[in-house]
Amino acid sequence: MIWLPKWPIDCRERRTTKPKDPFALTSEMNGGVRLYAVNEAAASLGLVPQMKLANARALAPELSIAPATVEQDQEALLSLADWCGRFSPWCATDGGRGVRLEITGCAHLFGGEVEMLAIMTSQFRKMRITAVFGLADSPAVAWAVARFGSKPSVIVPPGEGARYLAAFPIQALRLAEKTLSGLEKVGLRKISDLYDLPRAPLELRFGRQLLQRLDQISGREAEPISPLRPTAPFRTRMTWPDPIGLLTDIEAAAVRLTTELCRQLDGHGKGTRKVELALYRADGQVIRMSVGTSVVTRDAKHMMRLLLEKLPDIDVGFGVDVMICSALQVAPYRGQQTSFNKMTTVSDSTGEMTQGMTQSLGQLVDRLETRLGTPHVLRLIPFESHDPARAYAVVPPMAPPTSLSWPQKQPRPLRLLPVPERMKMIFEGPRAQHYQWRQETGRVAALEGPERISPEWWRLALETRDYFRLQATTGQRFWVYTSYARREEIQARSPDWYMHGFFS
């Protein structure tokens, strides 16, 4: 557990030279303006949070104030908790001014728990963040020692949580104010006062939460952490004693990380469809770059080609001292032999690759999606509809094929207007001679048709259309149509003409 007792002030002061003058953040509380947080200079004059601003002015006329920004401070805390992912993937805020980390299986990467706490203390000191660290086998014990302990960092031996907290005040149990007030009224002020009391009367008088907190500090009840980000089943990590800032160094580190990641995947018979490279900057910020693949892969060179499209745009700030490469979406991976020297990759988990689709096609799609954006790379497949504007469906480029086929009897234009536009046809006798569309007037060389297209029976509100292929004397070919609500109207009036599409 990492407790940040001066977080609102640290958010204001950590990026500037610390002011020596008294400074406080204010907020509307209890019907008046009160101090929300104070810096060290203000605290030395006797100013404390919750104090009325008028009283604070009387004690320190030179006090500088600024409005508290609670929402921005909370966003900064979430960013800091994300940055703490360099120590453990299981990290989250505790709902207040604290960050929770589950370091089981991670401490050995830093040389042990003592060395890990020393590294954390050094990192937070460099970032000018006041932090108190509590390490225990129970989140409840770690929370209590971080806030009510007497040292900046405390390690509670396994199984010793209840004994260690015996002399702590009952406020260290995270109880509701009503429960705390009731306990104090009957003289129960220390946690040890509750140990020998019968549980049934305690629950009857003070509620279930009290027993739950006692079970949590003793380890009888678990208190799982919900991490800010999904944990990756495979990840690789690199650290440096001093931050690096050259793009060439970052690229070289990324190559090593992706190569090792693919080696891990290969050892477990797995592949990935999404890779994330996280760069932890020395100033507490995290740069995350994720690339997706259309097929399951463990090709390190292909991953690097995709990441290199994004690396030149990053801002490393004061440098990067930790890099983590993670496989976020993992699936079984196998290869199918299609010739003596060529492998076709097939996903046996999602079925998104069909027989005969080669890995190179998937890699081409991945590079296009990285450069152009995933929404801009797609594939059109036939869709059962008589309406030309609805005769196709948009699917991902590597989606499985459909049993439908494109119409072969009647040609269709390559491009349709989003909304058909009114045009004018000029006839001389039965033959069309000229057309007018927008600001263009042209001569008609040929007009082939009609091809009558009616809407589906459940879409009777739409009109029936007669389509024609119009070829101009300039060589342009258009798809135009006439529309009418009832068939007999074609004899009663001259039909309206519309421009709908263009042939190649």
Side-chain angles (χ1 to χ4, degrees), residues 150-170:
S150 57
K151 299 178 181 179
S153 62
V154 178
I155 299 179
V156 180
E160 297 292 327
R163 184 190 63 80
Y164 197 93
L165 298 184
F168 279 49
I170 57 175

Side-chain angles (χ1 to χ4, degrees), residues 17-38:
T17 302
K18 281 195 174 182
K20 298 180 180 179
D21 298 331
F23 174 75
L25 298 174
T26 62
S27 179
E28 289 280 349
M29 292 183 289
N30 300 325
V33 179
R34 296 177 179 266
L35 302 188
Y36 178 75
V38 298

Side-chain angles (χ1 to χ4, degrees), residues 361-383:
L361 175 60
Q363 293 180 357
L364 173 62
V365 171
D366 298 339
R367 297 184 69 181
L368 291 174
E369 289 181 341
T370 302
R371 292 188 179 185
L372 305 177
T374 301
H376 300 99
V377 182
L378 45 87
R379 182 160 63 93
L380 303 181
I381 61 173
F383 181 76

Side-chain angles (χ1 to χ4, degrees), residues 258-276:
T258 53
T259 302
E260 177 59 28
L261 181 66
C262 291
R263 188 178 294 113
Q264 290 183 14
L265 293 169
D266 183 50
H268 290 79
K270 304 288 186 180
T272 181
R273 291 195 57 185
K274 188 174 183 181
V275 178
E276 180 188 77

Side-chain angles (χ1 to χ4, degrees), residues 246-259:
L246 294 178
L247 181 59
T248 53
D249 294 339
I250 294 175
E251 290 178 355
V255 170
R256 292 183 58 183
L257 289 172
T258 53
T259 302

Side-chain angles (χ1 to χ4, degrees), residues 429-440:
R431 180 179 174 82
Q433 298 293 330
H434 297 86
Y435 69 90
Q436 293 179 354
W437 173 61
R438 293 182 178 175
Q439 304 299 322
E440 176 184 352

Side-chain angles (χ1 to χ4, degrees), residues 2 7 14 75-89 91-92 99 101 119-127 129 133 228-229 235 237 278-288 319-322 324:
I2 306 174
W7 179 244
R14 60 189 294 254
E75 291 178 1
L77 183 61
L78 289 173
S79 178
L80 180 66
D82 186 25
W83 178 84
C84 288
R86 60 189 289 152
F87 301 110
S88 169
C91 56
V99 178
L101 282 84
I119 294 173
M120 288 184 178
T121 302
S122 175
Q123 292 287 346
F124 276 76
R125 186 182 299 114
K126 290 179 180 178
M127 294 189 296
I129 298 176
F133 303 89
L228 290 175
R229 295 180 177 273
R235 51 187 261 161
R237 183 176 182 274
L279 286 71
Y280 293 81
R281 300 192 336 188
D283 60 355
Q285 300 296 318
V286 184
I287 304 172
R288 297 185 183 274
V320 174
D321 53 6
V322 175
I324 297 177

Side-chain angles (χ1 to χ4, degrees), residues 156-335:
V156 180
E160 297 292 327
R163 184 190 63 80
Y164 197 93
L165 298 184
F168 279 49
I170 57 175
Q171 285 78 7
L173 290 178
R174 294 177 296 165
L175 298 171
E177 289 295 332
K178 182 179 180 181
T179 304
L180 291 174
S181 177
L183 290 171
E184 290 180 350
K185 286 180 180 180
V186 296
L188 301 175
R189 294 180 173 82
K190 295 190 302 182
I191 295 179
S192 60
D193 296 338
L194 304 171
Y195 287 165
D196 297 329
L197 297 178
R199 293 172 62 90
L202 282 177
E203 181 177 6
L204 182 63
R205 182 165 183 176
F206 300 106
R208 172 59 190 164
Q209 186 190 47
L210 177 59
L211 298 185
Q212 181 185 36
R213 297 305 188 203
L214 291 174
D215 290 340
Q216 287 172 348
I217 65 173
S218 63
R220 289 193 294 265
E221 182 172 335
E223 191 176 357
I225 296 177
S226 298
L228 290 175
R229 295 180 177 273
T231 57
F234 296 91
R235 51 187 261 161
T236 54
R237 183 176 182 274
M238 286 187 68
T239 62
W240 295 270
D242 296 313
I244 62 173
L246 294 178
L247 181 59
T248 53
D249 294 339
I250 294 175
E251 290 178 355
V255 170
R256 292 183 58 183
L257 289 172
T258 53
T259 302
E260 177 59 28
L261 181 66
C262 291
R263 188 178 294 113
Q264 290 183 14
L265 293 169
D266 183 50
H268 290 79
K270 304 288 186 180
T272 181
R273 291 195 57 185
K274 188 174 183 181
V275 178
E276 180 188 77
L277 184 65
L279 286 71
Y280 293 81
R281 300 192 336 188
D283 60 355
Q285 300 296 318
V286 184
I287 304 172
R288 297 185 183 274
M289 296 172 293
S290 60
V291 293
T293 59
S294 55
V295 295
V296 179
T297 183
R298 54 171 179 251
D299 187 342
K301 292 183 179 179
H302 178 52
M303 294 180 188
M304 275 308 303
R305 280 195 294 267
L306 300 179
L307 290 172
L308 286 175
E309 298 284 348
K310 299 185 176 183
L311 277 175
D313 299 329
I314 64 174
D315 177 16
V316 297
F318 295 101
V320 174
D321 53 6
V322 175
M323 287 177 58
I324 297 177
C325 186
S326 307
L328 300 183
Q329 295 180 5
V330 176
Y333 177 98
R334 64 181 176 87

